[in-house]
Amino acid sequence: LTAGESHGRALAGIIEGVPAGLALVAEDIDRDLKRRQGGYGRGGRMKIESDRVQILSGVRWGKTLGSPIALLIENLDWENWRRGMSPEASEEGSVEAVTRPRPGHADLAGALKYHHRDIRNVLERSSARETAMRVALGAVARRLMGEFGIRAGSFVTEIGREGFEAGAASAEELQDLAERAGSSPLRCPDEGATGKMMRLVDEGVEVGLGFRAARSFGSEVMDEIVPGEEGPARTGNNAGGIEGGISNGMPIVLRAAMKPIPTQRKPLRSVDIVTGKAVEAAYERSDVCAVPAASVIGEAMALLVVAEAFMEKFGGDSVEETGRNFRAYLESLRGFPHRKDV
């Protein structure tokens, strides 16, 4: 669980389920926070912040207690936003309201969803700043997994149109690539690709949603907002109906890549889990191509996810009650942003 706004006083986080007796100190978390802040092309905010975590609960004398662990990361930029992000009612209006939603962000969808008239109420929470606490909580999990020999690493293979092919690397090779990436300004272990990527960053490349968007400039794929008959409309749907983790009213378009079917007529090498000896993998009757079936399965899974979100939003103990809640919500959006209370 995370809480906090981009320019608020601090970011807070709680993680539960961590067993007692795990050695954990702030330095274990700060290492990952520092890694998050690095990288070529980061914004000016990183010149202000120097993230350090405070462990508020769940740890005593360097060992976890088994109770929920609470973490805090102060926002140094809060000093410049004391009035603008103050929780006190007396400070209302101390900064100008944000009323121009940015395509590609959660601005418009969030304003509609939460009935906000100042988009800052949306963008402060949908900011990438929130990921600092996710990294901190992830560092706790990293410490726990390390007790069992489980490691995690990452490296960048492509930015825009430039990159390199890592191939089907072994666990050792992957670890080596991740370690080499640590010294790269773009977390890319290939020096040649790093230089090309950096030149693209200098040109202003942005990485968006989807495989195609990741290889395009932001100006090419963001869905601009224009006046419409029933309120703000879009010039396209490159975002696939989702911005900032919120559906924006456009059709939700999902794309997925499917790996080759692993069952092979020509057996692949394997190991018997009882004897530990090398064997050929067993063969079970299998499809040659399962993409058509996968599309139907994808429909079912998308419906399950949308249904869950729908019921979370509208609730109801009967179809009739849910329908009333749904229709009332649609009515509240009619004519946005030209309602009398705006």
Side-chain angles (χ1 to χ4, degrees):
L1 177 68
T2 73
E5 288 73 46
S6 180
H7 297 97
R9 183 185 298 272
L11 302 174
I14 294 177
I15 183 170
E16 57 182 350
V18 179
L22 177 70
L24 181 67
V25 294
E27 288 76 12
D28 295 326
I29 301 171
D30 288 344
R31 279 194 294 269
D32 278 357
L33 290 177
K34 185 177 181 179
R35 292 173 63 227
R36 173 192 171 274
Q37 289 195 277
Y40 190 75
R42 297 302 304 272
R45 181 72 183 270
M46 296 303 100
K47 298 178 181 179
I48 299 175
E49 305 293 347
S50 181
D51 291 339
R52 297 289 185 273
V53 74
Q54 299 176 43
I55 301 177
L56 303 184
S57 68
V59 179
R60 185 186 186 207
W61 296 343
K63 295 289 183 66
T64 58
L65 302 176
S67 53
I69 298 171
L71 306 178
L72 185 78
I73 300 174
E74 293 184 350
N75 287 328
L76 300 184
D77 207 16
W78 159 252
E79 292 298 326
N80 301 316
W81 288 85
R82 281 183 172 271
R83 298 187 64 198
M85 290 301 296
S86 172
E88 302 298 329
S90 60
E91 298 290 359
E92 182 176 0
S94 59
V95 296
E96 185 178 356
V98 178
T99 59
R100 296 175 294 170
R102 302 163 297 169
H105 289 269
D107 295 0
L108 179 58
L112 289 168
K113 176 177 174 63
Y114 295 107
H115 200 73
H116 283 312
R117 291 178 289 177
D118 185 349
I119 294 172
R120 181 162 300 284
N121 294 336
V122 177
L123 64 87
E124 282 286 332
R125 180 60 182 167
S126 65
S127 167
R129 177 65 183 156
E130 187 264 351
T131 63
M133 182 51 68
R134 295 185 184 228
V135 169
L137 297 174
V140 177
R142 181 192 299 276
R143 185 67 192 85
L144 176 60
M145 292 295 94
E147 290 291 298
F148 305 99
I150 299 174
R151 301 184 300 272
S154 67
F155 53 88
V156 175
T157 61
E158 182 176 319
I159 291 180
R161 303 175 182 88
E162 301 293 348
F164 82 105
E165 181 58 54
S170 66
E172 291 74 17
E173 290 169 333
L174 287 171
Q175 182 180 358
D176 178 65
L177 288 170
E179 290 176 353
R180 285 161 48 193
S183 61
S184 165
L186 287 178
R187 290 198 55 76
C188 175
D190 186 282
E191 293 184 4
T194 295
K196 295 177 181 178
M197 291 179 186
M198 290 175 69
R199 285 191 287 274
L200 268 183
V201 172
D202 288 340
E203 294 173 13
V205 70
E206 298 178 7
V207 179
L209 296 176
F211 299 105
R212 177 184 172 188
R215 297 180 177 90
S216 305
F217 289 94
S219 59
E220 297 174 331
V221 298
M222 296 305 170
D223 305 312
E224 294 183 290
I225 303 167
V226 296
E229 293 182 1
E230 297 183 359
R234 301 288 178 152
T235 58
N237 191 27
N238 290 323
I242 296 176
E243 290 179 312
I246 304 173
S247 59
N248 63 13
M250 296 292 286
I252 296 176
V253 180
L254 307 176
R255 290 186 173 89
M258 185 178 179
K259 69 178 183 180
I261 294 175
T263 301
Q264 301 290 316
R265 282 280 187 181
K266 183 179 180 181
L268 301 175
R269 292 184 297 174
S270 185
V271 172
D272 189 298
I273 62 172
V274 175
T275 65
K277 295 181 179 180
V279 295
E280 290 184 342
Y283 175 78
E284 294 287 336
R285 186 171 60 188
S286 174
D287 296 316
V288 175
C289 177
V291 174
S295 69
V296 178
I297 296 169
E299 290 177 20
M301 293 307 301
L303 287 167
L304 286 169
V305 172
V306 171
E308 183 178 25
F310 186 93
M311 292 306 298
E312 179 182 5
K313 172 69 177 178
F314 302 111
D317 294 319
S318 67
V319 175
E320 289 79 7
E321 183 179 3
T322 303
R324 289 197 300 271
N325 297 340
F326 178 60
R327 289 190 294 273
Y329 176 73
L330 291 181
E331 185 60 31
S332 73
L333 298 181
R334 199 173 303 281
F336 181 90
H338 307 297
R339 299 188 302 270
K340 294 181 179 179
D341 59 338
V342 173

